[in-house]
Amino acid sequence: MRKKGLLEKILMREPAKEDFSANKLPENRIKLFSYMLKNKFFKIYKNHLLMVVFFLPLIIWGILTMEYTDMVYSLAPKEGITHFIEHWFTVYVTAIPMWVLAFVGLAGGLNVLKKLAWGDPVIFKNDFLRGIKLSGKQLALVGGLWGTAFALIKYAINWLGFYYKVFDDSYSVVFGIFVCLFLLVAAICYTVYMTCMASMYNVNFKQLLVGSFKLYFADCFLATGVILLSLSPIIILLSIGFAITTLLAYLFAICFLIGIIIIPMFLVCQHTFDRVINKKDYPDFYGRGLSYGSNPQSENTFMADDGAECDKTNNNDEEIDFERVNDGEN
C-alpha cells in the first residue's frame, strides 16, 4: 500500500473511530447556543451577512436621520414640540416599508438558522430563498405591524416627554411613559414569537396573531428576560443618547448583532414550542438538535406538506392545528 505524504496526512485526516451519536448533542438550549457559536460561527456569520442586506436600508435611514433627531431634541422644549410631529413622521412612519423589507430577510435567515440549530445540512442560497418563499409574505405583514406599532409607541413616548418638559412635570406623565415602555417591551417579545412561529408552522395570519400571543404568555417571564438580554447591547447604546453611541449601535448591528442576537431569541421560542405544542402534537419537531429530542418517542404524528394523512391521537378542537412547514425534507 502506498504511504501517504506529509501534506496528504495533514489535509486528509483519519476518519473518526466512533460514529456520530445522539449523546454527543447538546443537552439543553443554553449549551446548544454555545455549541453553535463555537462550531458553526462561519455559517452563522454568513447567514448574518445575508440578512444585513435586507436590514441595510433601515440602518442607513437611521444613520441619515441622526442629525435631524439631534437638532430637534437640542431645541428648547417649547420650540422642539413644534417640530415634533414632522420629526416623528419623517423618522418613524417613513421607516415602516423598510421594516417590511427587513422582516422578509428574517424569513430567509430564520430558515437557515433552524437548519443550523437542528444539525441539518445547509445550502445557503437555496435555504435562504426557500425561507422567503415559505414565510416571506407573512413576515412582511408582521414587519408592517411591528413598524406601525413601534412608530405609534415612539409617538406616545416622545409626546409625553415634551409634554413633561413644557406643560406638566407630574408623576402621572412619568407613569404614562413607563406604561409606553412596558407596551414597547411586550410588542417586541410578541413580534419575536410571531416571527419564529411563522418560520416554523403553516398557519394563516389570524392563527399567527392568536397563537403567538398565547405562546408568548406561556413563557412570558423567561422569554422577556432572554429577549431583553439579547437586545441589551443595542438598547444600552441607543439609551445613552449620544450620536457616537447611536452610531456604534448601528455599526455593531451591521457587523455582528443581527445574526447573533436572533439565536437566543429563536431558541427560547423553540423551548416554548416544544413545551406547549411539539411534545404532544409534533414529535418530529420536539427537541430537534438536542440529545433528548434526537429520537422522539411519541405516538402522535402530523399532517405533512405532501398531503399524506397520518394518525393523530390528540384531537383537541380548542387548540390551533399547526401544519408542518415543508423544510425541504419531503
Side-chain angles (χ1 to χ4, degrees), residues 6-22:
L6 178 61
L7 182 61
E8 189 176 2
K9 289 180 179 179
I10 295 174
L11 295 178
M12 299 180 64
R13 297 178 180 177
E14 293 294 330
K17 294 181 179 180
E18 295 180 355
D19 294 333
F20 180 79
S21 57

Side-chain angles (χ1 to χ4, degrees), residues 93-270:
V93 176
T94 56
I96 294 175
M98 302 175 205
W99 279 113
V100 171
L101 179 62
F103 272 67
V104 172
L106 280 178
L110 284 172
N111 191 54
V112 173
L113 182 61
K114 175 179 67 177
K115 286 178 169 289
L116 291 175
W118 288 358
D120 294 340
V122 174
I123 304 175
F124 275 95
K125 181 180 178 181
N126 292 347
D127 291 326
F128 195 89
L129 293 177
R130 181 166 182 77
I132 293 176
K133 179 181 178 181
L134 289 172
S135 57
K137 291 181 180 179
Q138 280 195 336
L139 287 190
L141 290 173
V142 173
L145 284 177
W146 158 250
T148 302
F150 181 64
L152 292 174
I153 294 172
K154 285 294 293 183
Y155 178 90
I157 292 173
N158 294 343
W159 184 86
L160 286 171
F162 276 116
Y163 188 84
Y164 178 84
K165 294 177 181 179
V166 177
F167 301 109
D168 185 3
D169 59 353
S170 65
Y171 289 111
S172 60
V173 179
V174 177
F175 176 76
I177 293 175
F178 276 102
V179 170
C180 292
L181 291 173
F182 173 81
L183 291 175
L184 180 60
V185 171
I188 291 172
C189 297
Y190 178 42
T191 302
V192 168
Y193 269 81
M194 278 198 291
T195 303
C196 291
M197 184 177 174
S199 71
M200 278 287 296
Y201 304 99
N202 277 335
V203 291
N204 60 43
F205 201 67
K206 180 181 178 182
Q207 290 174 323
L208 181 64
L209 292 174
V210 175
S212 55
F213 183 84
K214 293 179 179 179
L215 288 167
Y216 166 53
F217 281 100
D219 273 327
C220 178
F221 296 108
L222 173 64
T224 302
V226 171
I227 292 169
L228 289 181
L229 183 62
S230 303
L231 294 172
S232 59
I234 292 180
I235 293 174
I236 292 171
L237 288 171
L238 292 177
S239 298
I240 294 174
F242 295 120
I244 185 64
T245 57
T246 302
L247 183 60
L248 281 174
Y250 290 133
L251 292 178
F252 281 155
I254 292 174
C255 294
F256 296 107
L257 294 180
I258 293 174
I260 303 298
I261 64 176
I262 68 169
I263 300 176
M265 293 191 285
F266 172 80
L267 293 178
V268 76
C269 290
Q270 294 298 307

